[in-house]
Amino acid sequence: MAFNPRMSILPPVPQQSRTRKKEEEAAYANMRLPDREIVGCINELGIPFTVADLQKPNPIQVQMIFEWFGELLMNKTRQTVDPAMRAAVEDVCGDFGDALMPADTRSLMGFYASLLRLMNHCGVNDFNFMDLYKPTHDRLVKIFSYVINFVRFRESQTSVIDEHCNRAEAAKARIEHLYVENQNHEAQLDEMRHNRRAMEALVAEKTRRNEELKKRLLELRRSQEKVAARLEEAKNKKSELAAELEEKTATKLALKQDSAKLRPYVQQSASALQASLTELSNTLNAEKAHIDSLDRRARALQTSTDSFAVVSTDVASCIKLLDEIANELAKEEEENVKNARQRDALTERGANVREVERTESLLKRQLAKWAERTETLRAQSHDKAQRAKEQMEELRAVHKKLTEERGEKGKDIERKRVRIEQTEKKMLDLKENIENEVHAAYDEYLKMESHIKLYITEMEQAIPSK
C-alpha cells in the first residue's frame, strides 16, 4: 500500500514571490551599509548618534532622525502636518478631538503617512508604524541604508533636478503673470463697458428730456402767437374806442360852445325860449342818452383796458417764460454740446474698448501660444524626464549588474575565505596532529631510550657475573 500524505492547508508559496524575495534580499545585501557608515552619515546631519544607539535604538531619537529626513527630502515635519490633522480631528470628533486623540499622537500619525510615501520612493516597501514606535537594529540598518543611498543618488542628480524645477517655476511664474495681466485687462474692459452703458443711459435720458422740452417749447410758441394776436386785436379795438371817445368829446364841447352862443338869442322871446328850451331839453336828453351810452362804452372800454392789463400781465409772464425757455434752450444747447463731447468721448472709449478687445485677443493668442509653449516645454520636460528615467533605469540596471557582480565576487570571496579558513583549520588540525604525533614519537623515543639504557645496564650487569 502506497503512502499518501495529507495535503497541507497552507497556501503554496509562488515561485515568483520567492524569486522577488531573493532579488530583494540580494538588493538589500548590496544596499546595506555598515553600522559605522550609517552613524557617520547621521552625525554629519548634526544629530548625535552612536553605534550603541543604532544597536539599541531609542524611539524618540529615531523619530527625530526620521523627522529630519522628512524635512530634508519633503519639507514636512510634525509641526507642518499638525494644522491639517487638527482640522481633520475637529471634523471627525468635534469638541472631543483633543481628548480622543492628543496632539502628539495625531501629528505623529500625519507625519507617518507622509513618511510612508517617502519610504516607498526610497524602496522600503514594508515600512510600518512599529519602525517608529518600536524600532529594531536590523530594520533601522535596512531603512537608513535605503534612505542614505537615496539621498546620495539625489545629490548626484541635483543639477538635473534643479534645471527641471527652475524651468517649471519660470513657466509657472510666466503663466501666473499673464493670467494676472489678463484679469486686469478683463476688469478694465468690464469697467469701460459699465461706463459705456451708464453713458448710454444718461444720453438716452438727456435725449428724451430734450424732446419733451422741444414739444413744450412748440406749444408755448403756439400759445404765444395766439396771445399776441389777441393782444394786437385788443390794442386795435382800444385805439378805435379811444378815437371814437375823442370824437364824441369834441362834439360835446362844440355843442356846449354853440349853446353858449345861442343862449342870448333864446332869452329874447318866451315862446321862442320855450321852443328853444324844449329843443334844448330834447337835445339834452339826447345828449344825456348819448353820454350814458358813451359812459357805458367808457366802462366797457375800462373793462377792456383792465382785461388788456391782465392780458399784458399774461403776455409779460409768457415773455418771462419764453426767456426761461430760451435759457433752458441755451442750457439744452450746452447739454447737447456736452452730449456731443461725451458722445465723442464715448466713441473714443469705444475705440479704446475695441483696442482693449484687440489687445485682449492678442493676449489670448499670446496666452494660447505660451500655453502651447508650456505644453511643449512640459512635453519636452516629460521626454527629458522620461529619458532621465530611462537613463536612471539603465544606471539602476548597471548598478544592479555591478551589485550582482559585486555580490557574486563577494560570494566568491566568501567561498574562498571559507575555503581558506577550512584549509587553515585543516592545516592547524594537521599541525596539531603532527605535533601530537611528534610528541607521541618523542615520548616513545624516550621510552625506548630508557628501555635501551635499562637493557644495556642489565647487560652490563650480566656480563661481569659470567
Side-chain angles (χ1 to χ4, degrees), residues 65-84:
I65 295 171
F66 279 125
E67 188 172 358
W68 194 94
F69 278 124
E71 184 177 4
L72 175 65
L73 299 175
M74 300 185 300
N75 197 19
K76 287 186 178 181
T77 60
R78 283 191 285 187
Q79 287 77 17
T80 57
V81 301
D82 184 65

Side-chain angles (χ1 to χ4, degrees), residues 206-272:
K206 293 292 184 182
T207 305
R208 185 184 61 78
R209 185 179 176 186
N210 193 12
E211 291 295 331
E212 290 179 355
L213 289 175
K214 284 182 179 180
K215 291 179 180 179
R216 185 180 177 187
L217 180 60
L218 290 174
E219 292 177 357
L220 290 174
R221 282 182 179 176
R222 294 190 189 96
S223 300
Q224 183 183 4
E225 290 175 356
K226 292 179 180 178
V227 171
R230 288 178 62 189
L231 180 61
E232 189 67 27
E233 184 180 356
K235 285 180 179 180
N236 293 330
K237 191 174 181 180
K238 180 180 179 181
S239 61
E240 291 177 358
L241 293 173
E244 187 178 358
L245 180 61
E246 289 177 357
E247 184 180 357
K248 297 293 184 181
T249 305
T251 306
K252 181 180 178 181
L253 291 174
L255 291 172
K256 283 182 178 182
Q257 290 176 1
D258 291 337
S259 73
K261 289 177 181 181
L262 293 172
R263 185 174 298 165
Y265 298 102
V266 173
Q267 293 177 357
Q268 293 177 2
S269 176
S271 60

Side-chain angles (χ1 to χ4, degrees), residues 75-323:
N75 197 19
K76 287 186 178 181
T77 60
R78 283 191 285 187
Q79 287 77 17
T80 57
V81 301
D82 184 65
M85 294 299 295
R86 187 189 303 114
V89 169
E90 289 178 357
D91 291 337
V92 174
C93 302
D95 297 333
F96 302 98
D98 293 332
L100 295 176
M101 186 174 289
D104 294 335
T105 304
R106 70 184 179 221
S107 60
L108 183 61
M109 292 297 294
F111 178 69
Y112 167 72
S114 301
L115 191 63
L116 186 61
R117 292 193 295 272
L118 174 63
M119 292 302 163
N120 289 328
H121 288 294
C122 293
V124 183
N125 298 321
D126 55 350
F127 185 76
N128 52 35
F129 191 75
M130 296 301 293
D131 295 327
L132 290 174
Y133 191 66
K134 289 183 180 180
T136 60
H137 173 259
D138 295 334
R139 292 289 299 170
L140 285 183
V141 169
K142 179 181 178 180
I143 294 169
F144 286 159
S145 298
Y146 276 94
V147 173
I148 291 171
N149 287 319
F150 179 77
V151 172
R152 289 176 179 175
F153 175 75
R154 182 174 177 269
E155 291 178 353
S156 65
Q157 301 294 326
T158 304
S159 60
V160 178
I161 295 171
D162 291 339
E163 182 181 359
H164 288 290
C165 289
N166 292 330
R167 288 181 180 177
E169 289 295 331
K172 184 179 179 181
R174 180 62 178 168
I175 290 170
E176 289 179 354
H177 179 67
L178 291 174
Y179 181 75
V180 170
E181 287 185 354
N182 190 17
Q183 291 294 326
N184 293 331
H185 286 299
E186 286 182 356
Q188 186 177 2
L189 181 60
D190 292 336
E191 183 178 1
M192 293 180 72
R193 285 176 178 172
H194 178 70
N195 293 331
R196 180 181 179 182
R197 287 193 294 269
M199 292 298 292
E200 287 178 353
L202 185 60
V203 168
E205 181 66 23
K206 293 292 184 182
T207 305
R208 185 184 61 78
R209 185 179 176 186
N210 193 12
E211 291 295 331
E212 290 179 355
L213 289 175
K214 284 182 179 180
K215 291 179 180 179
R216 185 180 177 187
L217 180 60
L218 290 174
E219 292 177 357
L220 290 174
R221 282 182 179 176
R222 294 190 189 96
S223 300
Q224 183 183 4
E225 290 175 356
K226 292 179 180 178
V227 171
R230 288 178 62 189
L231 180 61
E232 189 67 27
E233 184 180 356
K235 285 180 179 180
N236 293 330
K237 191 174 181 180
K238 180 180 179 181
S239 61
E240 291 177 358
L241 293 173
E244 187 178 358
L245 180 61
E246 289 177 357
E247 184 180 357
K248 297 293 184 181
T249 305
T251 306
K252 181 180 178 181
L253 291 174
L255 291 172
K256 283 182 178 182
Q257 290 176 1
D258 291 337
S259 73
K261 289 177 181 181
L262 293 172
R263 185 174 298 165
Y265 298 102
V266 173
Q267 293 177 357
Q268 293 177 2
S269 176
S271 60
L273 185 61
Q274 184 68 32
S276 298
L277 183 59
T278 303
E279 185 180 358
L280 288 173
S281 295
N282 294 329
T283 305
L284 182 60
N285 291 326
E287 290 293 332
K288 284 182 179 180
H290 185 66
I291 288 168
D292 291 334
S293 66
L294 289 177
D295 288 334
R296 286 192 298 272
R297 292 187 69 181
R299 285 193 297 272
L301 288 172
Q302 185 65 34
T303 304
S304 299
T305 304
D306 295 336
S307 64
F308 288 156
V310 174
V311 170
S312 299
T313 305
D314 293 336
V315 169
S317 63
C318 289
I319 292 169
K320 186 177 180 181
L321 183 60
L322 288 173
D323 293 334

Side-chain angles (χ1 to χ4, degrees), residues 399-416:
H399 184 266
K400 185 178 180 180
K401 185 177 179 181
L402 291 175
T403 50
E404 289 177 356
E405 292 179 356
R406 180 181 175 185
E408 291 177 359
K409 289 182 180 179
K411 290 179 181 179
D412 293 336
I413 292 171
E414 187 68 24
R415 286 195 294 271
K416 289 180 181 180

